[in-house]
Amino acid sequence: MTVISSDLSPRTADGRRPDPDWWRGAVIYQIYPRSFADANNDGIGDLPGITARLEHVAELGADAIWISPFFKSPMADFGYDVADYREVDPIFGTLADFDALLAKAHALGLRIIIDQVLSHTSEQHAWFNESRSSRDNPKADWYVWAEARPDGSPPNNWLSVFGGPAWQWDSRRRQYYLHSFLTAQPDLNHHNPEVQDALLGDVRFWCERGVDGFRFDACNHQFYDRSLRDNPPADAEEQQSVTTVRPDNPYAMQRHLHDKTQPENLAFLQRVRQVLDSTGAVSIGEVGDDHPQPTMADYTEAGKRLHMAYSFALLTPYVSARQIRMQVEGLERELARTGGWGCWALSNHDVPRVASRWAPGNQPDPVLTRTLQALLFTLRGSVCTYQGEELGLPEADIPFELLQDPYGKAFWPEFKGRDGCRTPMPWQHDALQAGFNAGAAPWLPLGQGHGERSVDLQQADPASPLHHARALLAWRRGEARLRQGSIRFHDAAEPVLLFERALGPGPALVLAFNLGDAPVSVPLPAALGMLLPFNGTPIAPAELLETPGDLRCASGRCWLLPAHGAAIAVTAA
C-alpha cells in the first residue's frame, strides 16, 4: 500500500504551509462520484473520471472538493452504507486511483475532503456480520440491539428517516436492531468505546493517506438514549416547520429527543478533533435537526470539536427573505456563544436543485439563478456548492421506471426522491452522453435540456452562468470582508434581503437581493449612511436614488432592484 503523507497538501507559491485557517470562508465544491465523470465507460462515474476533470473545479476557483462516499459498499444507499471504510469500491476504482486523484488535486491547489459515515454501516460490514451472529461474540454490542416488547413489537416508537419503524427484527439473535435510515444501514453503538476506537482508526487511516478533511454524515445521529425512551409527538406547528424531511413523512410527526443529538456526542467529537489536529485535517459536519443552530454551535465550539457545520436550513422547498434572515441571524447568535463556525449550502445530493426548487412554479429563471449564486457566496461562513450549480442546472425529471433512489421509491408519487439532482454532469454538448462517458448508458439518464447547458458551451459564452460563478468565486477569494467579515441585516420588506458585510473599521459592503418576480424599490435605512456604487463585481448593479421625496420611494433614498435581481454598494469611507 502506498501512503501519501499529509506533507503533500497544497502549499503557497514559496513552499510554505498554507494558513491553517484556510477553511474559514472557503468554498467547497461537492462531487457526487457516480455522476461526475465516467472514465471506464461502464455508466457509473469513478475516481479516474474525477481526476480527469479536476481542472474544471480549479478554474472555477473553489478551495476544496468534497467527494461523496466511494468506499466499498453494496450500494443500498449508493455509498452511504459502508462495508469497508478503508477500501475503494471497485465501481469507483482503486486506492491507487484515489492516490492519483489526491496528488493531482494538490498540484492544482485543491484540497480534498472525503465523506465519512460514522453513525452506521452497511449490513454487509464485517462488524455487523459478527455482531448479529450471536449475543455473546466480541462485537455483540457494537450495534444497537434491543429486546422486543412482550407482544413482539419494536422496543419503542422511534422512526426511520426513510419512513417506517427504525427497528428491524433479526431472527438469528431474536432481537431488534436500530436503523435510523434504511434497514440495510444498522446503527453503530457509540456507547461502546471499542466502536469509537475502531472508527477513529479508520479516520486516522485517511488522514495519514493525505486527505485534507472530512465531511461527517449525519453527525448528530451517533448516540441514542440508552433507556430507549419513546419520542414525544410533534405538534401541528412543528410538523409544518420540519426541514429535515417532507411533512408527509411520519418522521416529521415526532420530536426527536431521544434517538439523536445526545449530549454524549460532544465528548466523541472531541476525540475526533484530536485525531484531525494530529495531521492538520479539517472537518465539516452535517447536522440533521429541525432546530439545528444550538447544535451546530456546540459541535463547532472553537478548537474543541468540528471545524464547521451545516444544516438543512436553506435546503428547504420554500423560501422567503425573512426565513433566510431568521436562519442566518439565529446561527450567528449561537456561534457568538461558542466561537464556532457555520457553513451554508443551497443544493446538495439530497434535495432538488435550487435553480428549480426556489423558482416560481419550479421553472428556472436565469436571473434568479445568478442572484441565488451571489447570495450564497456573500453569506458569512464557509460555502458548499454542488456540482452543476455553476451551470445553473435545473432539477431533472426521472420517471418511476428509471428511479434508483430507495427513498423516492418509498414515497412515490408525492416525492420522487433524490435522483433528480444526481443525474450525469454535462461536459460536451455534441458528445455521447454529453461527455459524461463514451460507453454504456449512465446509471441515471441525462437531465432534459442539460446538454444545452454543458460546460463547453458555457465556457464559450462570457455571459453564461459558469463565467458568472467564476467571477463570484474570484471576487469572494480576494474580498476579505466576504471571507472573514461580520454580517448585519437591515429591515426590508419581502421579498428583499438587505445586509452588510464588514471587517474592522473600514467601509462595509452593502448587498440587496430581490427574491421576487417583480421590480421593487427598497428604502435605504439611515443607519447605512452614505452609499457609493461599487463597481467591478459580478453582481448586477441597481439604480441608487438619493433624491428626497422621490415618488417611487417616499422615504428618500432608494435602491431599485430588478425582478430576481441583486445589487451591491459600499458605505462611504
Side-chain angles (χ1 to χ4, degrees):
M1 179 184 71
T2 302
V3 177
I4 296 181
S5 167
S6 58
D7 287 339
L8 293 182
S9 58
R11 294 172 181 261
T12 57
D14 59 3
R16 293 180 292 108
R17 288 185 180 276
D19 180 358
D21 286 338
W22 66 266
W23 49 273
R24 292 185 182 272
V27 174
I28 302 165
Y29 184 94
Q30 182 193 356
I31 288 178
Y32 194 70
R34 296 181 70 89
S35 302
F36 195 64
D38 174 19
N40 66 358
N41 297 315
D42 66 352
I44 299 174
D46 44 44
L47 296 181
I50 296 173
T51 303
R53 296 292 188 178
L54 283 175
E55 283 85 358
H56 170 74
V57 185
E59 291 171 3
L60 184 64
D63 299 285
I65 296 170
W66 150 24
I67 307 175
S68 291
F70 51 82
F71 313 111
K72 186 177 179 181
S73 168
M75 300 294 161
D77 193 24
F78 300 108
Y80 284 92
D81 50 320
V82 178
D84 191 327
Y85 287 101
R86 302 191 185 194
E87 288 292 335
V88 174
D89 195 277
I91 67 171
F92 296 127
T94 64
L95 280 170
D97 291 329
F98 177 79
D99 293 341
L101 187 162
L102 190 71
K104 183 174 179 180
H106 286 172
L108 291 170
L110 293 167
R111 297 170 176 86
I112 295 296
I113 294 172
I114 64 172
D115 217 325
Q116 287 284 86
V117 188
L118 303 186
S119 66
H120 56 267
T121 70
S122 164
E123 64 178 351
Q124 295 186 23
H125 197 293
W127 298 346
F128 188 67
N129 287 333
E130 183 174 354
S131 185
R132 77 190 316 182
S133 66
S134 69
R135 296 193 183 193
D136 58 1
N137 66 79
K139 292 183 173 58
D141 64 344
W142 276 43
Y143 292 81
V144 185
W145 295 96
E147 301 291 342
R149 288 173 171 169
D151 63 357
S153 60
N156 60 27
N157 71 346
W158 295 352
L159 295 172
S160 162
V161 174
F162 290 159
W167 297 96
Q168 177 67 26
W169 179 253
D170 185 85
S171 58
R172 276 158 283 196
R173 286 187 51 144
R174 297 180 64 84
Q175 286 180 307
Y176 283 96
Y177 67 82
L178 181 68
H179 60 91
S180 296
F181 298 93
L182 296 175
T183 58
Q185 296 170 294
D187 283 15
L188 286 159
N189 178 18
H190 285 72
H191 289 292
N192 185 335
E194 292 181 353
V195 171
Q196 294 188 31
D197 292 344
L199 290 170
L200 293 176
D202 290 330
V203 170
R204 187 178 296 279
F205 169 85
W206 290 102
C207 285
E208 292 174 348
R209 204 164 194 93
V211 303
D212 303 287
F214 300 84
R215 178 263 187 185
F216 290 114
D217 180 73
C219 72
N220 60 319
H221 280 263
Q222 286 155 182
F223 283 83
Y224 63 96
D225 173 50
R226 301 185 82 160
S227 299
L228 302 183
R229 288 174 287 180
D230 281 353
N231 283 327
D235 61 33
E237 182 178 353
E238 289 171 326
Q239 290 185 41
Q240 291 305 312
S241 63
V242 67
T243 60
T244 53
V245 297
R246 290 173 54 86
D248 56 10
N249 187 331
Y251 190 82
M253 300 172 71
Q254 291 185 356
R255 296 178 62 207
H256 294 275
L257 298 184
H258 305 304
D259 55 346
K260 63 181 181 181
T261 321
Q262 300 301 294
E264 295 93 336
N265 203 25
L266 297 175
F268 174 66
L269 293 178
Q270 287 181 207
R271 296 193 67 195
V272 172
R273 181 61 178 260
Q274 291 170 359
V275 173
L276 301 179
D277 285 349
S278 69
T279 58
V282 305
S283 55
I284 176 171
E286 177 197 44
V287 176
D289 197 278
D290 292 321
H291 305 284
Q293 293 96 335
T295 300
M296 293 170 68
D298 290 339
Y299 282 15
T300 63
E301 184 171 354
K304 286 189 175 183
R305 302 179 187 101
L306 303 179
H307 294 76
M308 48 189 163
Y310 78 92
S311 72
F312 289 78
L314 299 186
L315 299 174
T316 52
Y318 311 106
V319 73
S320 66
R322 177 182 177 275
Q323 178 185 359
I324 295 173
R325 176 178 177 176
M326 180 179 66
Q327 294 293 341
V328 175
E329 286 186 327
L331 181 59
E332 288 297 312
R333 284 192 297 270
E334 293 292 341
L335 294 177
R337 173 175 58 84
T338 66
W341 192 257
C343 184
W344 297 103
L346 300 185
S347 287
N348 66 17
H349 64 292
D350 281 332
V351 298
R353 290 187 176 276
V354 72
S356 299
R357 194 175 79 244
W358 284 2
N362 298 125
Q363 299 301 313
D365 177 285
V367 179
L368 178 60
T369 300
R370 292 168 182 261
T371 298
L372 293 176
Q373 277 192 330
L375 172 60
L376 177 64
F377 294 129
T378 53
L379 292 175
R380 183 175 187 269
S382 300
V383 168
C384 286
T385 184
Y386 182 53
Q387 65 183 50
E389 275 190 278
E390 73 277 18
L391 306 179
L393 292 185
E395 180 78 353
D397 187 18
I398 308 298
F400 181 79
E401 60 271 17
L402 297 179
L403 211 63
Q404 303 292 323
D405 183 15
Y407 194 11
K409 292 178 181 179
F411 284 89
W412 181 275
E414 285 74 16
F415 175 53
K416 298 182 179 181
R418 301 165 293 179
D419 288 342
C421 67
R422 298 177 174 183
T423 54
M425 184 83 167
W427 295 100
Q428 188 174 346
H429 74 286
D430 58 355
L432 185 68
Q433 321 292 12
F436 170 72
N437 70 1
W443 73 288
L444 282 174
L446 288 164
Q448 185 176 9
H450 284 197
E452 287 71 47
R453 299 172 183 262
S454 62
V455 172
D456 69 325
L457 288 179
Q458 296 204 26
Q459 173 68 30
D461 179 8
S464 68
L466 175 59
H467 282 280
H468 179 65
R470 288 175 178 171
L472 279 169
L473 265 67
W475 177 42
R476 180 182 173 94
R477 180 183 290 273
E479 180 52 77
R481 287 171 290 191
L482 294 179
R483 290 179 70 96
Q484 298 143 16
S486 62
I487 189 168
R488 178 189 178 193
F489 285 85
H490 294 276
D491 291 340
E494 287 285 354
V496 173
L497 198 66
L498 179 64
F499 61 87
E500 60 180 287
R501 301 295 312 277
L503 184 65
L509 295 176
V510 181
L511 300 113
F513 297 90
N514 175 13
L515 303 181
D517 56 6
V520 294
S521 295
V522 183
L524 297 177
L528 287 176
M530 181 178 291
L531 299 184
L532 302 175
F534 190 78
N535 298 320
T537 76
I539 294 184
E543 185 179 354
L544 186 64
L545 301 179
E546 298 283 358
T547 306
D550 187 284
L551 294 177
R552 287 167 292 186
C553 186
S555 64
R557 299 186 308 151
C558 288
W559 247 341
L560 296 185
L561 291 180
H564 290 157
I568 182 174
V570 62
T571 56

